[in-house]
Amino acid sequence: MPAEPVDWPEGSELRVEAVAPDEANSGTREGESGDDPESIAAWIAAVEKIEPMIWAEGEREEYERYREKVRQFNLEAVRMQMEQMPQGDTP
């Protein structure tokens, strides 16, 4: 089932295709990108078209507060894990 609403003509069929785990998150499949000069130039051109993110007022500060909250959470989680390790097993 699609993750979001679709507007397909009546009677359309949905094709389901298995995707290997390493392909699921990459955005490209084996052979779709290369390391030849033309492929590299195409990637550079695509990246240069990406527009910079524009923050609305207060968004950057909210984002930085969130990052700090996550950082503190992770530090505490690691501290707790290290406390639970048997003596002598600490890095």
Side-chain angles (χ1 to χ4, degrees), residues 5-16:
V6 294
D7 185 23
W8 295 333
E10 186 67 35
S12 295
E13 293 184 14
L14 176 64
R15 180 186 303 173
V16 178

Side-chain angles (χ1 to χ4, degrees), residues 15-36 39 43:
R15 180 186 303 173
V16 178
E17 181 179 330
V19 178
D22 60 331
E23 294 177 357
N25 297 321
S26 71
T28 59
R29 295 177 186 211
E30 180 93 23
E32 289 183 342
S33 63
D35 57 2
D36 58 280
S39 296
W43 276 102

Side-chain angles (χ1 to χ4, degrees), residues 3-5 7 20 32-33 45 54 60 65 71 75 87 89 91:
E4 46 204 47
D7 185 23
E32 289 183 342
S33 63
I54 299 173
R60 183 180 296 271
R65 283 191 301 273
R71 180 180 164 280
L75 288 171
Q87 292 295 340
D89 285 351

Side-chain angles (χ1 to χ4, degrees), residues 20-82:
D22 60 331
E23 294 177 357
N25 297 321
S26 71
T28 59
R29 295 177 186 211
E30 180 93 23
E32 289 183 342
S33 63
D35 57 2
D36 58 280
E38 294 81 18
S39 296
I40 294 171
W43 276 102
I44 291 171
V47 169
E48 288 176 344
K49 289 181 183 176
I50 299 172
E51 295 186 18
M53 186 167 173
I54 299 173
W55 299 91
E57 185 161 334
E59 280 184 333
R60 183 180 296 271
E61 294 79 9
E62 182 180 344
Y63 172 72
E64 292 300 334
R65 283 191 301 273
Y66 173 77
R67 284 188 57 188
E68 181 59 24
K69 183 179 176 181
V70 170
R71 180 180 164 280
Q72 291 299 325
F73 175 85
N74 287 329
L75 288 171
E76 181 63 16
V78 170
R79 184 190 64 72
M80 288 173 40
Q81 289 173 345
M82 291 180 73

